[in-house]
Amino acid sequence: MNQNLMDDYHALASSISPSEVSRYLHAQGWEMIDRREGLLEEWAEPAIIGSESESEVHLLPVNQEYRDFQRRFVEFLVAVAAYYEIDAYELSHRLRLGASDVLLFRVCHDDAVDDVVSIDEANDVLSVMRRIISVSARYTASPNKGFTGRMPPQAKEYLAQYVSLGHTRPGSFVFPFISGPRILQGAKTVFARRVMENLAIALDRVRSLPVSQHAVLDELSPLVVALAGSLQKLARSPAFSSIEISFMWAPGREASDEVPVRPIALQPDEIREIGISGVRAKQYLQDRNIHDYRLAASRGPVVVPRVPAIPEVPSVVDTEITGEIIALNIDDRRISDWGSRYSIVIRSDVRDSVIDVEMPVEEAEFTAAAEARNHGAAVTAVGTLVRTMGGFTMRGRLNFNGQQQSR
């Protein structure tokens, strides 16, 4: 390695501590195989699945009083950079992320030139990425509001202070968006993580829009629909062969179990089909006024690309459930959401699983439900089943002893 490159590693070793490196390695899946308190740590590279060779082990010096500390620390940093095939500058960038998450948007091309991108294409990517992060921030701050108009203060502060564009990275053309404060800051760090998790989960579900004929609505549905519309800008005369969206989570802070672990890859034709399905799903939600969501995926009218039509299928179908009433609830806080303070909970078998479904009802239905519960009688409900973080809810029609009532 030439002297200029080594100087970069010496500069990095002088500006970062072994403890910061240790935290990063732990978060990235390296294995600490030995530790001598106050002296050194031995780290094994992450094991490669299917490989029979043993992982290399590297020594991280901890005691800065040793005469050869600087030399050994530099050697360790060089080994880490070599493992990831990056230089000292990129390693410094990764080590300094602290509490931040990273959204990586990779643009892939068929030709051999993979380290450049046209100005127009870059502009489209930056515009779309800012849009989807903004949509996720709006949703996270105020789930029951639309995606246009005045932005909630919490989302506005997040976008202004805690979202930045990092340096490009090797491997086709990669846009890294850094999310969250670099140092843990309580509620602000939590909000930034929720924005990224909601975005990751919703983007993963966007892929299933064209084929999910019997999907169950959940509370992220408005965000999924808004993202489907936002991605359409990338489908106009694309020069790329595919885009790949992935997330790097802050060291030491694991993402929730719902977050996809694999990159989300989309080709131009898939993006067009997602747009068409997104328009249909949006109309479905608006027709039913579910949770009073005002779904505005863009400032202008939605334009559906001219591509071969795909079969007309409902994105969501009504579900019928039958079961016993296990709870009767009266809660004035639900009036603003449901228009009623009364609700019941029905326990039912749905697709070989036992679920509890909460359903808003009128006072008369509430009284009838209490009678049914006292007598152990089953009730039937038909309507839109919605998955929420807390379980399931439904709006629809109730049937007591063969007599149907609507809600």
Side-chain angles (χ1 to χ4, degrees):
M1 185 177 296
N2 65 46
Q3 187 59 45
N4 288 336
L5 293 178
M6 286 303 300
D7 287 345
D8 291 339
Y9 284 101
H10 278 280
L12 175 57
S14 300
S15 64
I16 200 163
S17 68
S19 60
E20 291 176 278
V21 179
S22 182
R23 285 195 298 270
Y24 175 79
L25 296 178
H26 176 75
Q28 297 301 314
W30 290 56
E31 181 184 1
M32 184 191 294
I33 61 175
D34 189 19
R35 180 181 186 183
R36 300 177 190 177
E37 190 67 37
L39 297 177
L40 59 85
E41 296 174 354
E42 291 185 356
W43 288 88
E45 296 175 353
I48 300 175
I49 298 177
S51 175
E52 295 182 358
S53 60
E54 295 185 358
S55 299
E56 287 196 43
V57 176
H58 305 282
L59 185 149
L60 171 62
V62 174
N63 192 331
Q64 301 186 36
E65 300 300 321
Y66 279 11
R67 286 185 301 173
D68 62 349
F69 169 81
Q70 181 80 1
R71 177 180 62 81
R72 289 181 176 273
F73 192 25
V74 168
E75 290 175 351
F76 186 85
L77 294 175
V78 170
V80 174
Y83 174 81
Y84 288 112
E85 298 181 351
I86 57 178
D87 59 17
Y89 189 83
E90 170 65 12
L91 179 60
S92 173
H93 178 71
R94 295 190 185 188
L95 292 173
R96 295 176 190 281
L97 285 177
S100 300
D101 300 319
V102 182
L103 165 60
L104 297 172
F105 194 93
R106 180 185 181 196
V107 183
C108 307
H109 298 86
D110 287 328
D111 53 39
V113 181
D114 61 0
D115 58 349
V116 297
V117 66
S118 72
I119 292 295
D120 289 341
E121 191 174 355
N123 182 66
D124 285 348
V125 169
L126 291 173
S127 175
V128 169
M129 295 308 294
R130 191 195 187 287
R131 172 63 185 168
I132 67 174
I133 294 174
S134 173
V135 164
S136 185
R138 283 176 175 268
Y139 172 84
T140 303
S142 300
N144 293 331
K145 293 186 178 180
F147 299 112
T148 58
R150 180 174 295 179
M151 183 173 288
Q154 193 174 18
K156 187 175 181 179
E157 179 188 19
Y158 163 75
L159 291 170
Q161 298 185 23
Y162 302 120
V163 178
S164 55
L165 179 63
H167 293 276
T168 56
R169 304 192 175 193
S172 194
F173 204 90
V174 182
F175 297 81
F177 286 79
I178 301 168
S179 166
R182 303 298 177 87
I183 301 175
L184 291 172
Q185 294 187 31
K188 294 177 181 178
T189 299
V190 172
F191 179 81
R193 167 54 63 87
R194 287 178 54 205
V195 172
M196 285 293 106
E197 287 191 344
N198 285 338
L199 181 57
I201 296 169
L203 280 172
D204 190 49
R205 295 181 187 175
V206 160
R207 292 188 299 183
S208 66
L209 273 178
V211 296
S212 77
Q213 302 181 22
H214 304 289
V216 177
L217 280 173
D218 63 28
E219 56 190 11
L220 281 176
S221 294
L223 178 57
V224 172
V225 172
L227 293 177
S230 298
L231 289 170
Q232 290 311 292
K233 191 170 186 177
L234 297 174
R236 60 184 191 187
S237 303
F240 61 88
S241 59
S242 67
I243 60 173
E244 186 179 278
I245 305 172
S246 58
F247 295 81
M248 289 176 53
W249 304 108
R253 298 175 55 238
E254 295 183 0
S256 71
D257 293 337
E258 293 185 82
V259 172
V261 295
R262 295 182 179 179
I264 300 162
L266 298 171
Q267 297 179 343
D269 288 345
E270 291 180 288
I271 294 175
R272 296 189 186 98
E273 291 187 358
I274 284 170
I276 296 172
S277 301
V279 171
R280 293 174 183 160
K282 175 180 177 180
Q283 190 61 52
Y284 183 92
L285 293 174
Q286 288 179 325
D287 289 346
R288 286 153 182 79
N289 197 31
I290 295 175
H291 288 296
D292 294 326
Y293 284 125
R294 301 186 300 280
L295 304 175
S298 62
R299 293 186 180 276
V302 177
V303 179
V304 180
R306 293 186 178 182
V307 296
I310 58 177
E312 285 282 355
V313 295
S315 57
V316 180
V317 295
D318 281 345
T319 301
E320 177 178 303
I321 63 171
T322 298
E324 294 186 354
I325 298 172
I326 63 169
L328 303 163
N329 302 321
I330 302 177
D331 190 343
D332 288 342
R333 294 173 298 179
R334 306 310 295 268
I335 295 177
S336 60
D337 294 331
W338 286 346
S340 173
R341 60 171 51 87
Y342 303 101
S343 67
I344 64 174
V345 179
I346 303 171
R347 177 161 292 172
S348 177
D349 291 325
V350 177
R351 299 172 189 160
D352 300 323
S353 297
V354 177
I355 63 173
D356 294 338
V357 181
E358 187 173 12
M359 187 172 188
V361 295
E362 298 290 357
E363 185 174 2
E365 296 172 319
F366 187 81
T367 302
E371 288 283 336
R373 184 189 184 192
N374 290 338
H375 292 88
V379 298
T380 298
V382 179
T384 304
L385 188 64
V386 180
R387 187 193 303 273
T388 68
M389 291 298 183
F392 292 86
T393 64
M394 174 181 280
R395 288 177 182 267
R397 305 178 299 277
L398 275 175
N399 188 306
F400 294 103
N401 297 324
Q403 295 186 351
Q404 180 175 292
Q405 300 187 34
S406 298
R407 173 61 179 162

